Amino acid sequence: MGSHSDHARRAFQVRALAAEDYGACLLLWARCGHASRPAWEDPTVLMRLIVRNPSICCAAEHGDRLVGTLLCGHDGARGCLHHVAVEEAWRRRGVGAALVARALAGLARAGIRQVHAAADSSNAGGMAFMRACGWQSQEELVLLSVDNPAWRHS
């Protein structure tokens, strides 16, 4: 039988992220100090990600409050985790690990073996968490980005 501390540790539920979580995601990311990304300012971008990846984008909630998120996608060969965010009061309580485990299990079911995680280089806590989970920096890889010049907002 579990102790009281086991119950308190698991006083959150992990579930699939839903379209109606958009506002709560923005609030959580702001509370976590995540820099705003232009892509997430348009709710349709998050909706597309969730629709394309329903089993690997996930949320942790306590009651009706969102306390963690993880966005994830894949290209058929490699998965990528990003926006792994856990409210400060819920850190070191298994929330981040539960989100990562759910996403990795979903990726495995999709046949994805290799997974990357995108993290802001200034996010020391996030980097430490991922390293504690066994992730390693790939010094030979460099992330290159561009605002797509062919994109036109309809």
Side-chain angles (χ1 to χ4, degrees), residues 56-120:
I56 55 178
C57 289
C58 45
E61 62 185 357
H62 173 68
D64 61 356
R65 182 179 175 97
L66 205 62
V67 298
T69 62
L70 183 149
L71 301 183
C72 187
H74 68 83
D75 63 7
R78 292 166 302 277
C80 185
L81 309 183
H82 51 103
H83 269 62
V84 180
V86 175
E87 192 170 313
E88 190 167 352
W90 285 87
R91 293 178 188 164
R92 301 188 187 284
R93 295 173 70 178
V95 175
L99 290 167
V100 170
R102 180 183 172 114
L104 292 177
L107 288 167
R109 285 190 300 276
I112 306 299
R113 180 177 177 196
Q114 186 178 42
V115 184
H116 300 291
D120 190 310

Side-chain angles (χ1 to χ4, degrees), residues 1 22 34-35 56 102 107 114 128 136 140 154:
M1 184 173 247
Y22 177 73
H34 280 229
I56 55 178
R102 180 183 172 114
L107 288 167
Q114 186 178 42
Q136 300 174 14
E140 68 279 7
S154 53

Side-chain angles (χ1 to χ4, degrees), residues 18-72:
E20 53 272 8
D21 292 321
Y22 177 73
C25 286
L26 293 180
L27 291 172
L28 172 68
W29 298 336
R31 288 192 309 269
C32 291
H34 280 229
S36 178
R37 301 284 189 244
W40 306 124
E41 292 171 5
D42 179 353
T44 60
V45 173
L46 182 60
M47 303 317 144
R48 280 195 310 260
L49 182 68
I50 292 169
V51 167
R52 288 179 62 189
N53 302 284
S55 66
I56 55 178
C57 289
C58 45
E61 62 185 357
H62 173 68
D64 61 356
R65 182 179 175 97
L66 205 62
V67 298
T69 62
L70 183 149
L71 301 183
C72 187

Side-chain angles (χ1 to χ4, degrees), residues 101-151:
R102 180 183 172 114
L104 292 177
L107 288 167
R109 285 190 300 276
I112 306 299
R113 180 177 177 196
Q114 186 178 42
V115 184
H116 300 291
D120 190 310
S121 61
S122 67
N123 183 353
M127 299 287 281
F129 165 73
M130 294 304 286
R131 286 188 177 110
C133 290
W135 295 67
Q136 300 174 14
S137 295
Q138 299 297 312
E139 303 301 331
E140 68 279 7
L141 298 178
V142 175
L143 178 65
L144 304 173
S145 301
V146 67
D147 283 337
N148 184 349
W151 180 84

